[in-house]
Amino acid sequence: MDKMMDLWLASGIYNLQAGQLVMLVVGLGLLYLAIVKKFEPLLLVPIGFGGILANIPEAGLAFSAVENALHFAQPEVLDALSAALGISSSDPEVILKAYNTSNASTHAAVSLAAMDGGYSNGMLYNFYNVSIASGAAPLIIFMGVGAMTDFGPLLANPKTLFLGAAAQFGIFATVLGAVGLSTLGIMDFSIQDAAAIGIIGGADGPTAIYVASILSPHLLGAIAVAAYSYMALVPLIQPPIMRALTTEAERKITMVQLRQISKTEKILFPIMLLLLVALLLPDAAPLLGMFCFGNLLRECSVVDRLSDTAQNALINIVTIFLGLSVGSKLSADKFLDLTTLGILVLGIIAFCIGTAMGVLMAKLLNKIEGGNSINPLIGSAGVSAVPMAARVSNKLGLEANPQNFLLMHAMGPNVAGVIGSAVAAGVMIKFVG
Amino acid sequence: MDKMMDLWLASGIYNLQAGQLVMLVVGLGLLYLAIVKKFEPLLLVPIGFGGILANIPEAGLAFSAVENALHFAQPEVLDALSAALGISSSDPEVILKAYNTSNASTHAAVSLAAMDGGYSNGMLYNFYNVSIASGAAPLIIFMGVGAMTDFGPLLANPKTLFLGAAAQFGIFATVLGAVGLSTLGIMDFSIQDAAAIGIIGGADGPTAIYVASILSPHLLGAIAVAAYSYMALVPLIQPPIMRALTTEAERKITMVQLRQISKTEKILFPIMLLLLVALLLPDAAPLLGMFCFGNLLRECSVVDRLSDTAQNALINIVTIFLGLSVGSKLSADKFLDLTTLGILVLGIIAFCIGTAMGVLMAKLLNKIEGGNSINPLIGSAGVSAVPMAARVSNKLGLEANPQNFLLMHAMGPNVAGVIGSAVAAGVMIKFVG
Amino acid sequence: MDKMMDLWLASGIYNLQAGQLVMLVVGLGLLYLAIVKKFEPLLLVPIGFGGILANIPEAGLAFSAVENALHFAQPEVLDALSAALGISSSDPEVILKAYNTSNASTHAAVSLAAMDGGYSNGMLYNFYNVSIASGAAPLIIFMGVGAMTDFGPLLANPKTLFLGAAAQFGIFATVLGAVGLSTLGIMDFSIQDAAAIGIIGGADGPTAIYVASILSPHLLGAIAVAAYSYMALVPLIQPPIMRALTTEAERKITMVQLRQISKTEKILFPIMLLLLVALLLPDAAPLLGMFCFGNLLRECSVVDRLSDTAQNALINIVTIFLGLSVGSKLSADKFLDLTTLGILVLGIIAFCIGTAMGVLMAKLLNKIEGGNSINPLIGSAGVSAVPMAARVSNKLGLEANPQNFLLMHAMGPNVAGVIGSAVAAGVMIKFVG
Amino acid sequence: MESLISQGLSLMVFGMGFVFVFLTLLVGMTTLMSKLVVKFEPVAVAVPKKLKPRVTKTIDSNNDELVAVISAAVHKYRS
Amino acid sequence: MESLISQGLSLMVFGMGFVFVFLTLLVGMTTLMSKLVVKFEPVAVAVPKKLKPRVTKTIDSNNDELVAVISAAVHKYRS
Amino acid sequence: MESLISQGLSLMVFGMGFVFVFLTLLVGMTTLMSKLVVKFEPVAVAVPKKLKPRVTKTIDSNNDELVAVISAAVHKYRS
Ligand code: NA
Ligand code: NA
Ligand code: NA
């Protein structure tokens, strides 16, 4: 009967902690939103499922070999870890603290000691290291997004880039909000944390994950979940703000049809953007470099098989592992925290401010030009959230005037928002990275 | 003429050992079975080819840098290896023994010393580490299998799960057989070896490879070859047993048509299964977690592009490398052993017992229910070997009664067998891992 | 205003060095050739783009963590690096030199110290390590090429293998040229460098990259660019040589139609080739092994889904990363060198000699056989450059005689050239590796 | 340390036991789940699975080709 | 060490400033580039994007199948 | 240590020599293999390569679509 007891003592139900139960429910909730409500399912299905896996008691799928060794706390293994760390205590918490503050070579030694003790990295921990900690997955997804992006509407009306710029104000205002909360003692965010939280306002998943993985990996789970959830909520969040800031007359403005763009312009644009990044902001080079590379594969029309793969097999494969890896950051000990609540609140504020600033910038452009060439409804598309935000602009345009098709016009600021938030990401990595 | 001599002395034909010659023939034999006899070709073509590559004399494709350094045995490199190991002998065999019993950090140091000496890991050795030793490849394949699995027939007739449970008896009976052979002194299997061998009876390739890579990596080659070979032999192995254990009247039993299953049930099933695993047997979480994840991608119908990729590009890529990596374990020094013979014999016994128990369980269910609702021919499908075993059930059903289509009925126990052997795998990893 | 100054001092335009500017122009030039002139775009688009990314000032995308730490030269980090190296100087150049000559375990320690200092490997550096330094990418591409290769024409006329053999003379003549330049003091090539340069004459991209990554990684960029550029230039380079070495009458020779090849022959050929490699030249086993594996996947007709993946998703994914990784070797400090010029000149000579020898061998075969069974125009296809070189043969044949379709006849020596240069690669790795 | 045989025996007993317990629970939960679903969602049952819309551009362009080729074919033959 | 707030403030000012400078330059360069392209390449404008030829063998064999099936279908129905 | 030139020379001689030996053996073995195959398997020669059955579900569902579309098209036009 010992064995029966062993099984029971090692079972999930016996070891289930309250936090894990909560996170299992959160994971199920994300699956519900993704599958039933169709909230960004391509990411939220893997994230939600990864979150459930990460919170299976005793399985340790989201933990490193060292964390797993500390969890099971066999005396001889703890001694080996202490020895590798050069400390005398064999209290798991002391060891963990010493481990977290030790340098890279000690890290490697402690990790090998844990493996000698028979523990191994969890599956999700490995996925996270290979896909996100290496920086590779968000960049590869950005390449795929580039290969799916048509810069035609932007090229036909370049001044919509200003709308994409203005909408990034949400990012920086949120940074200020986060440091404000810290200064008031309500939260405890470093400037790096604040910057990573702000990027939620960029409404761009891979950018948010990339920045968070560099500046603030411990907040990555909450930031990614917030970013994708709010992107899915665009059709609910944006319309009230857009209506509040525009008059009926403004919403009825029809825009002139976009000119046709030549192949040459479409090929030259990503190269030009890359060179501008190279000359002005090298820290944005990985993100925008891969984005431009993907777009060039698409437009140059001599490597269609590479473009196809970047848009399909490759981005799908990476999305699966990126999502599961983000889910690994939803383990109860890392996610259930007042901080997460702060991130969710700040993130939605960032979104709202970004939306508002895009609309206001469109009105300002009309003022400056002294005309009515821009329907301010397309300003909100400057936050990115491609193509959802552009569809929202189109929908509100049609409500005001059933002949007013804004979709293609809104695609300009929409893709401009992707560039804008990647630039903002580069600035933040430069200053606080 | 020195160069000519060098080439000759380094050629394969000059260095060919008897064992390698035998293994080259075994590799060709596997290719023959796969290509001409169509035995599980998706795995046996890469495994057979990998086996040939692994046995090319002097190429060292399946060996680590350290093993390659020991093979060529240059004195100064041997000295460097001894120094890294902290021993004084420079006899290759002594070094190898010390290396195999040393801890992880010494392993790393010795490996770097071998690389400094100009040796590198063979191509197949690298493939093995990345795909199998990391645990990733079998799990990714299991995700793909999940994405290809339709649980409809199982949901329409849940009691067929009992058939999938019964068929796992083959696994545990074989474990007993293996420890029996050890106790009698005929073989020398540890309890870990016995558990890994037993899993052949699960008739599920990725599960067998996953378990063997954790419990008994040195037997992985023989176990994988046995598992896939016997799965291919299902149409030969199963029918005699099925005929022997059933009467003509039983084989003629027709089953009522399966009810239609709603989308909601199909979506909820993998989630429910995951939660049950999480609560009862965390050690089965990686395998069944990925399986349920794949199935959810398939059924939730909002991420079809991920499901497509999991079923096609991703599983195909991983299959190629998994197969070659398994092949790397067919190197003569690891495969040609009395042990391999023992594994082949025990494996087939496991298969036969599993088949028999599935059939008998079906008859028992009929007894208990006091009816004839289950044709016992579908019991044999409980071993897994999807979909071959179900087709065999169908074929024997048609022989007895040309109107008796059992295929869909047999798919229930067939996929239940996949779950059953993954659960059995979790139990074994828990108890002897 | 400090921040403004910081941004400016960290900008690309402030830090742009002359060499980087030149390399940016080279990168743009490669994109021009690839996109407008359609020079081997599948490789030259990623290589050119990677070259641009590698030369973005301050971004350090092509550099290791150690190189990046040395570039920014913070005193405390330099001290940590010196300590890890066990030297006292903190001059970046001295450190770099000590690092480059240190052994593998010191390498690892210095690298960890640089990471502790806050530096990380550049994105392209990581891509290079995973795809090329591991040897994996060229081998996987070779597998894909194998899966796309039809050996039918070669099997129908096996003596065209001699044309593929003769064309490899270009490789070895170039090796001699390179050591000659070194002996004369004009260049400074080691025998390894010379061998890697010679392989450009093999007109086979993955073979050239594989050999260069083993024998001479510091020349890899120039060698890959030369190889793919000259392969693209085949329609310009080869015709004058072919015309000069043949008479009008010879060019008019029509060849007898090729016999049909049975499936069995096509399946047995890659296995036979593999066994021949295994027995004679184990050093060519990785390259030719993967090539034969790909071809077997194609021909055996029981694993079409693996063959499809090897020819599409997998080779495309690997091509993207291989191209970007090769581009990482176009960083100014590694590429802008008299050596590169030498490589370009020697490479084209290799190509011309290979072409000439193929044609002359065809004429010799006719002499020996005392007939006119071979049109010497197909000899030039022996350099490989599949299928471009075969098309050139066909075009010149049609010029001489509008009924003379040489394409299928030229495919024989064309694929023979692939085998020939892989064999030559194996010989060079054996002798100087 | 138990003897190898007794280890094997207990692995068999507890292993098979656990497999049956687990799958029995799964049978129960599945049956319950199906009943609940059928009860609360009686309409959604059993629409014959329709063709999934293809997600990739690849296939879309395929379909374009398809329609083009069919139109051409039909035009050619109906006259 | 600046206070957290002033760090946040300067990040906002310089961040937004830089984003605007960057995108303004991009507007200028894009406009210039388009003008140059339209000037030197007036003809190349606006061919409706034609169907891309498929690169993979897969699809080719698909097309073969397509043609076969269509021929069969048409043959059957035209008589 | 040989001079660089003599290393290069011997690499050329032995390299080309080996390439020729290897490919000559391959010619011989290929010829022999073909003869054996033709001898023992005279029937299997030269069936024009038929369309490979597609393995992936993707394509199968494509075919379903194909048939559906064709039927629709033909129905429409034959009346
Ligand atoms: Na944005
Ligand atoms: Na099973
Ligand atoms: Na060649």
Side-chain angles (χ1 to χ4, degrees):
Chain A
M1 287 319 289
D2 277 4
K3 281 249 155 66
M4 214 63 194
M5 206 51 175
D6 283 359
L7 264 180
W8 171 246
L9 293 180
S11 75
I13 202 163
Y14 178 82
N15 290 283
L16 189 65
Q17 295 161 3
Q20 290 170 328
L21 182 60
V22 172
M23 289 311 299
L24 290 178
V25 173
V26 169
L28 291 173
L30 290 175
L31 289 181
Y32 175 81
L33 293 177
I35 296 173
V36 180
K37 297 289 177 191
K38 312 226 178 331
F39 276 24
E40 295 281 329
L42 288 174
L43 265 295
L44 287 187
V45 168
I47 290 176
F49 205 95
I52 294 174
L53 290 175
N55 287 285
I56 295 180
E58 306 297 285
L61 295 178
F63 297 122
S64 66
V66 174
E67 288 168 305
N68 280 326
L70 292 175
H71 175 77
F72 290 103
Q74 289 181 288
E76 67 277 18
V77 177
L78 293 182
D79 289 347
L81 298 185
S82 314
L85 280 161
I87 61 175
S88 58
S89 167
S90 61
D91 175 352
E93 289 197 20
V94 176
I95 294 176
L96 184 60
K97 203 164 177 184
Y99 174 68
N100 284 335
T101 56
S102 68
N103 67 14
S105 59
T106 309
H107 253 72
V110 178
S111 185
L112 290 172
M115 288 175 191
D116 277 332
Y119 296 97
S120 54
N121 294 328
M123 172 187 78
L124 294 177
Y125 181 86
N126 283 336
F127 287 175
Y128 180 85
N129 271 343
V130 170
S131 68
I132 298 186
S134 73
L139 295 177
I140 294 170
I141 290 190
F142 229 54
M143 172 173 73
V145 171
M148 292 182 198
T149 298
D150 178 5
F151 279 120
L154 180 66
L155 286 164
N157 194 2
K159 72 182 177 232
T160 55
L161 276 162
F162 290 120
L163 305 176
Q168 309 316 317
F169 189 73
I171 294 177
F172 295 100
T174 309
V175 174
L176 210 62
V179 298
L181 286 178
S182 284
T183 305
L184 293 174
I186 300 173
M187 296 274 164
D188 182 27
F189 294 128
S190 67
I191 185 75
Q192 284 77 16
D193 296 342
I197 294 167
I199 206 75
I200 297 172
D204 191 275
T207 301
I209 291 172
Y210 183 75
V211 171
S213 74
I214 292 175
L215 297 183
S216 201
H218 64 115
L219 301 181
L220 193 144
I223 288 173
V225 167
Y228 283 105
S229 304
Y230 294 149
M231 281 160 65
L233 286 172
V234 152
L236 298 179
I237 296 174
Q238 290 197 323
I241 301 170
M242 294 159 73
R243 289 203 190 90
L245 294 175
T246 52
T247 65
E248 178 78 17
E250 284 171 334
R251 292 200 289 277
K252 282 191 168 149
I253 295 173
T254 53
M255 296 179 68
V256 293
Q257 216 203 314
L258 295 173
R259 70 176 178 92
Q260 291 268 4
I261 302 299
S262 78
K263 200 76 201 151
T264 313
E265 287 171 86
K266 288 191 174 179
I267 293 174
L268 289 178
F269 182 76
I271 295 174
M272 208 180 65
L273 175 54
L274 171 71
L275 292 178
L276 201 60
V277 170
L279 295 182
L280 294 188
L281 188 65
D283 289 282
L287 269 180
L288 282 171
M290 289 304 271
F291 185 65
C292 292
F293 179 55
N295 192 248
L296 184 64
L297 292 183
R298 170 200 182 85
E299 300 296 354
C300 74
S301 78
V302 289
V303 293
D304 286 347
R305 56 185 291 161
L306 300 186
S307 171
D308 269 6
T309 296
Q311 288 177 52
N312 293 293
L314 182 52
I315 199 173
N316 292 345
I317 291 171
V318 174
T319 299
I320 289 172
F321 292 106
L322 180 88
L324 291 173
S325 301
V326 169
S328 79
K329 292 286 176 181
L330 302 192
S331 64
D333 61 327
K334 286 164 190 157
F335 192 85
L336 283 182
D337 201 327
L338 198 59
T339 310
T340 299
L341 203 67
I343 290 171
L344 292 176
V345 172
L346 288 167
I348 191 118
I349 294 174
F351 240 79
C352 295
I353 296 179
T355 301
M357 293 304 290
V359 175
L360 293 175
M361 174 54 87
K363 295 175 70 164
L364 180 65
L365 286 180
N366 276 343
K367 277 266 161 61
I368 290 171
E369 297 198 331
N372 262 335
S373 65
I374 299 177
N375 186 319
L377 290 175
I378 71 169
S380 61
V383 294
S384 324
V386 184
M388 195 92 70
R391 279 196 209 130
V392 168
S393 301
N394 190 55
K395 186 157 160 271
L396 267 74
L398 288 175
E399 272 175 28
N401 172 354
Q403 251 63 51
N404 194 5
F405 296 96
L406 293 175
L407 188 65
M408 289 316 286
H409 298 284
M411 287 308 296
N414 215 188
V415 299
V418 177
I419 298 173
S421 46
V423 171
V427 173
M428 298 208 288
I429 291 170
K430 166 75 205 138
F431 280 138
V432 306
Chain B
M1 287 318 289
D2 277 6
K3 282 247 155 69
M4 213 65 196
M5 207 51 177
D6 283 359
L7 265 179
W8 171 246
L9 293 180
S11 74
I13 202 163
Y14 178 83
N15 290 282
L16 189 66
Q17 296 161 1
Q20 290 169 327
L21 182 60
V22 172
M23 288 312 297
L24 289 178
V25 174
V26 170
L28 292 173
L30 289 175
L31 290 181
Y32 173 81
L33 293 177
I35 296 173
V36 180
K37 298 288 177 192
K38 312 224 177 332
F39 276 24
E40 295 282 327
L42 288 174
L43 264 294
L44 287 187
V45 168
I47 291 177
F49 206 94
I52 295 175
L53 290 175
N55 287 285
I56 296 180
E58 307 296 287
L61 295 178
F63 297 121
S64 67
V66 174
E67 287 168 307
N68 280 324
L70 292 175
H71 175 76
F72 290 104
Q74 288 180 290
E76 68 276 18
V77 178
L78 292 182
D79 289 346
L81 298 185
S82 313
L85 280 162
I87 60 175
S88 57
S89 167
S90 62
D91 174 352
E93 290 198 20
V94 175
I95 295 176
L96 184 60
K97 204 165 179 184
Y99 174 69
N100 284 337
T101 56
S102 67
N103 67 15
S105 60
T106 308
H107 252 71
V110 177
S111 187
L112 290 172
M115 286 175 192
D116 278 331
Y119 295 96
S120 53
N121 294 329
M123 173 185 80
L124 295 177
Y125 180 86
N126 284 335
F127 288 174
Y128 180 85
N129 271 342
V130 171
S131 68
I132 298 185
S134 73
L139 296 177
I140 295 171
I141 290 190
F142 228 53
M143 172 174 73
V145 171
M148 292 182 199
T149 298
D150 177 5
F151 280 119
L154 180 66
L155 286 162
N157 195 1
K159 71 178 178 237
T160 55
L161 275 163
F162 290 120
L163 304 177
Q168 309 316 315
F169 189 75
I171 294 178
F172 295 101
T174 309
V175 174
L176 210 62
V179 298
L181 286 179
S182 285
T183 305
L184 294 174
I186 299 172
M187 297 275 164
D188 181 27
F189 295 127
S190 67
I191 185 75
Q192 284 78 14
D193 296 342
I197 294 168
I199 207 74
I200 296 173
D204 191 275
T207 301
I209 291 172
Y210 184 75
V211 171
S213 73
I214 291 176
L215 298 182
S216 201
H218 66 114
L219 300 182
L220 194 145
I223 288 172
V225 167
Y228 283 105
S229 304
Y230 294 148
M231 281 160 65
L233 286 172
V234 152
L236 297 180
I237 296 175
Q238 290 196 323
I241 301 170
M242 295 160 74
R243 288 204 192 89
L245 295 175
T246 52
T247 65
E248 178 78 16
E250 283 171 334
R251 292 200 289 276
K252 281 189 170 153
I253 296 174
T254 53
M255 295 178 68
V256 293
Q257 216 201 315
L258 295 173
R259 71 174 178 95
Q260 291 268 4
I261 301 300
S262 79
K263 199 77 201 152
T264 313
E265 288 171 84
K266 288 192 174 177
I267 293 174
L268 289 177
F269 182 76
I271 296 174
M272 209 181 64
L273 175 55
L274 172 70
L275 292 178
L276 200 61
V277 171
L279 295 181
L280 294 188
L281 188 64
D283 289 283
L287 268 180
L288 281 172
M290 290 303 272
F291 185 66
C292 292
F293 179 56
N295 192 249
L296 184 64
L297 292 183
R298 171 200 182 86
E299 300 295 353
C300 74
S301 79
V302 289
V303 293
D304 286 349
R305 54 185 293 159
L306 300 187
S307 171
D308 268 7
T309 296
Q311 289 178 52
N312 293 293
L314 183 52
I315 199 174
N316 291 344
I317 291 172
V318 174
T319 299
I320 289 173
F321 292 106
L322 180 87
L324 290 173
S325 301
V326 169
S328 79
K329 292 286 178 182
L330 302 193
S331 63
D333 60 328
K334 288 163 190 158
F335 192 85
L336 283 183
D337 202 326
L338 198 59
T339 309
T340 299
L341 203 67
I343 291 171
L344 292 176
V345 172
L346 288 166
I348 191 114
I349 294 173
F351 240 80
C352 295
I353 296 178
T355 300
M357 292 305 289
V359 174
L360 294 175
M361 173 55 86
K363 295 176 71 165
L364 180 64
L365 285 179
N366 276 344
K367 277 265 161 61
I368 291 170
E369 298 197 331
N372 262 335
S373 67
I374 297 176
N375 186 317
L377 289 175
I378 72 169
S380 61
V383 294
S384 325
V386 184
M388 195 91 70
R391 281 199 207 126
V392 168
S393 299
N394 190 54
K395 186 159 161 269
L396 266 72
L398 288 175
E399 273 176 25
N401 171 356
Q403 249 64 48
N404 195 6
F405 296 96
L406 294 175
L407 188 65
M408 290 316 286
H409 298 283
M411 286 309 295
N414 213 189
V415 299
V418 177
I419 298 172
S421 45
V423 171
V427 173
M428 299 209 285
I429 291 170
K430 168 73 203 137
F431 280 138
V432 305
Chain C
M1 290 316 289
D2 278 6
K3 282 248 154 72
M4 214 65 195
M5 206 52 177
D6 283 1
L7 264 179
W8 171 246
L9 293 179
S11 74
I13 202 163
Y14 178 82
N15 289 283
L16 189 65
Q17 295 161 1
Q20 290 170 327
L21 183 59
V22 172
M23 288 312 297
L24 290 178
V25 173
V26 169
L28 292 173
L30 289 175
L31 289 181
Y32 174 82
L33 293 177
I35 297 173
V36 181
K37 297 289 176 189
K38 312 222 178 330
F39 275 25
E40 295 281 329
L42 288 174
L43 265 295
L44 286 188
V45 168
I47 291 177
F49 206 93
I52 294 175
L53 290 175
N55 287 284
I56 296 180
E58 306 296 288
L61 295 177
F63 297 121
S64 67
V66 174
E67 288 168 306
N68 281 325
L70 292 175
H71 175 76
F72 290 103
Q74 288 180 288
E76 67 277 17
V77 177
L78 292 182
D79 289 347
L81 298 185
S82 313
L85 280 162
I87 60 174
S88 58
S89 167
S90 63
D91 174 351
E93 290 198 18
V94 175
I95 294 176
L96 184 61
K97 203 164 177 184
Y99 174 69
N100 284 336
T101 56
S102 68
N103 68 14
S105 60
T106 309
H107 253 71
V110 178
S111 186
L112 291 171
M115 287 174 192
D116 278 331
Y119 296 95
S120 54
N121 295 329
M123 172 186 80
L124 295 178
Y125 180 85
N126 283 336
F127 287 174
Y128 180 85
N129 270 343
V130 171
S131 67
I132 298 185
S134 73
L139 295 177
I140 295 170
I141 290 191
F142 228 53
M143 172 174 72
V145 171
M148 293 182 199
T149 298
D150 177 5
F151 280 119
L154 180 66
L155 286 163
N157 195 0
K159 72 180 177 236
T160 56
L161 276 163
F162 290 120
L163 304 177
Q168 308 316 317
F169 190 74
I171 294 178
F172 295 101
T174 309
V175 174
L176 210 62
V179 299
L181 286 179
S182 285
T183 305
L184 294 174
I186 299 173
M187 297 275 163
D188 182 27
F189 294 127
S190 68
I191 185 75
Q192 284 79 14
D193 296 341
I197 295 168
I199 206 77
I200 297 172
D204 191 275
T207 302
I209 291 172
Y210 183 75
V211 170
S213 74
I214 291 175
L215 297 182
S216 201
H218 64 113
L219 302 182
L220 191 144
I223 288 172
V225 167
Y228 283 105
S229 304
Y230 294 149
M231 280 159 67
L233 286 172
V234 152
L236 296 180
I237 296 174
Q238 289 196 323
I241 301 169
M242 294 159 74
R243 288 201 191 93
L245 294 175
T246 51
T247 64
E248 177 77 18
E250 283 171 334
R251 291 199 291 276
K252 282 191 169 151
I253 296 173
T254 53
M255 295 178 67
V256 292
Q257 217 201 316
L258 295 173
R259 72 177 178 93
Q260 291 268 9
I261 301 299
S262 79
K263 200 77 201 151
T264 312
E265 288 171 84
K266 287 191 175 179
I267 293 174
L268 289 178
F269 182 77
I271 295 173
M272 207 181 66
L273 175 55
L274 171 71
L275 292 178
L276 200 60
V277 170
L279 295 182
L280 293 187
L281 188 65
D283 290 281
L287 269 179
L288 282 172
M290 290 303 271
F291 185 66
C292 292
F293 179 55
N295 192 248
L296 184 64
L297 293 183
R298 170 200 182 87
E299 300 296 355
C300 73
S301 78
V302 289
V303 293
D304 286 348
R305 55 184 293 159
L306 301 186
S307 170
D308 269 5
T309 296
Q311 289 177 50
N312 293 292
L314 183 53
I315 198 173
N316 291 344
I317 291 171
V318 174
T319 299
I320 288 173
F321 292 106
L322 180 86
L324 290 174
S325 301
V326 169
S328 80
K329 291 286 177 183
L330 302 193
S331 65
D333 60 327
K334 286 166 189 155
F335 192 86
L336 284 182
D337 202 326
L338 198 58
T339 309
T340 300
L341 203 69
I343 291 170
L344 292 176
V345 172
L346 289 166
I348 191 115
I349 293 175
F351 241 79
C352 296
I353 296 178
T355 302
M357 292 303 290
V359 175
L360 293 175
M361 174 55 87
K363 295 175 70 165
L364 180 64
L365 285 181
N366 276 344
K367 277 266 161 61
I368 291 171
E369 298 198 331
N372 263 334
S373 66
I374 299 176
N375 185 318
L377 290 175
I378 72 170
S380 61
V383 294
S384 322
V386 184
M388 195 90 72
R391 280 198 208 128
V392 168
S393 300
N394 191 53
K395 187 158 160 269
L396 266 74
L398 288 175
E399 272 175 26
N401 172 354
Q403 250 63 50
N404 194 6
F405 296 96
L406 294 176
L407 188 65
M408 289 315 288
H409 298 283
M411 287 308 295
N414 214 187
V415 300
V418 177
I419 299 172
S421 45
V423 171
V427 173
M428 299 209 286
I429 291 170
K430 168 73 204 137
F431 280 138
V432 306
Chain D
M1 172 84 196
E2 291 173 281
S3 79
L4 203 54
I5 279 283
S6 76
Q7 280 184 295
L9 262 175
S10 82
L11 193 56
M12 182 163 94
V13 172
F14 290 107
M16 270 318 282
F18 191 85
V19 168
F20 264 102
V21 168
F22 188 96
L23 293 185
T24 304
L25 280 171
L26 190 56
V27 169
M29 288 178 62
T30 304
T31 310
L32 182 68
M33 182 269 285
S34 285
K35 277 198 183 128
L36 290 176
V37 168
V38 171
K39 188 171 171 190
F40 289 107
E41 193 195 42
V43 199
V45 178
V47 196
K49 197 180 168 192
K50 68 161 186 274
L51 287 167
K52 289 183 194 164
R54 306 294 315 143
V55 283
T56 58
K57 203 187 107 209
T58 304
I59 305 294
D60 290 344
S61 70
N62 246 14
N63 282 354
D64 292 349
E65 270 177 61
L66 180 64
V67 171
V69 175
I70 289 172
S71 307
V74 172
H75 268 278
K76 190 165 171 193
Y77 283 103
R78 72 170 170 153
S79 57
Chain E
M1 174 82 195
E2 290 174 281
S3 79
L4 203 54
I5 280 283
S6 75
Q7 281 185 294
L9 262 176
S10 82
L11 193 55
M12 183 164 93
V13 172
F14 290 106
M16 273 316 284
F18 191 85
V19 169
F20 265 103
V21 168
F22 188 95
L23 293 186
T24 306
L25 279 171
L26 189 56
V27 171
M29 287 178 61
T30 304
T31 311
L32 183 68
M33 182 268 283
S34 286
K35 279 201 183 126
L36 290 176
V37 169
V38 172
K39 189 170 168 188
F40 289 108
E41 194 194 41
V43 200
V45 179
V47 196
K49 198 181 170 191
K50 66 161 186 278
L51 288 166
K52 288 181 193 167
R54 306 293 316 141
V55 283
T56 57
K57 201 188 109 210
T58 303
I59 305 295
D60 289 345
S61 69
N62 246 14
N63 282 354
D64 292 350
E65 269 177 63
L66 180 64
V67 171
V69 175
I70 289 174
S71 307
V74 173
H75 268 279
K76 190 165 173 194
Y77 282 102
R78 72 169 169 157
S79 55
Chain F
M1 172 84 196
E2 288 176 281
S3 79
L4 204 54
I5 279 283
S6 76
Q7 280 184 293
L9 261 175
S10 81
L11 193 55
M12 181 163 95
V13 172
F14 290 107
M16 273 316 285
F18 192 84
V19 168
F20 264 103
V21 168
F22 188 95
L23 294 186
T24 304
L25 279 171
L26 190 56
V27 170
M29 287 177 62
T30 305
T31 310
L32 182 68
M33 180 268 284
S34 287
K35 279 204 182 120
L36 291 176
V37 168
V38 172
K39 188 170 170 188
F40 288 105
E41 194 193 43
V43 198
V45 179
V47 195
K49 197 182 172 192
K50 67 161 183 273
L51 288 167
K52 288 179 196 171
R54 305 295 315 141
V55 281
T56 59
K57 202 189 108 209
T58 302
I59 304 295
D60 289 345
S61 70
N62 245 14
N63 282 354
D64 292 350
E65 269 178 62
L66 181 64
V67 171
V69 175
I70 288 174
S71 308
V74 172
H75 268 279
K76 191 164 170 194
Y77 282 103
R78 74 170 169 154
S79 56

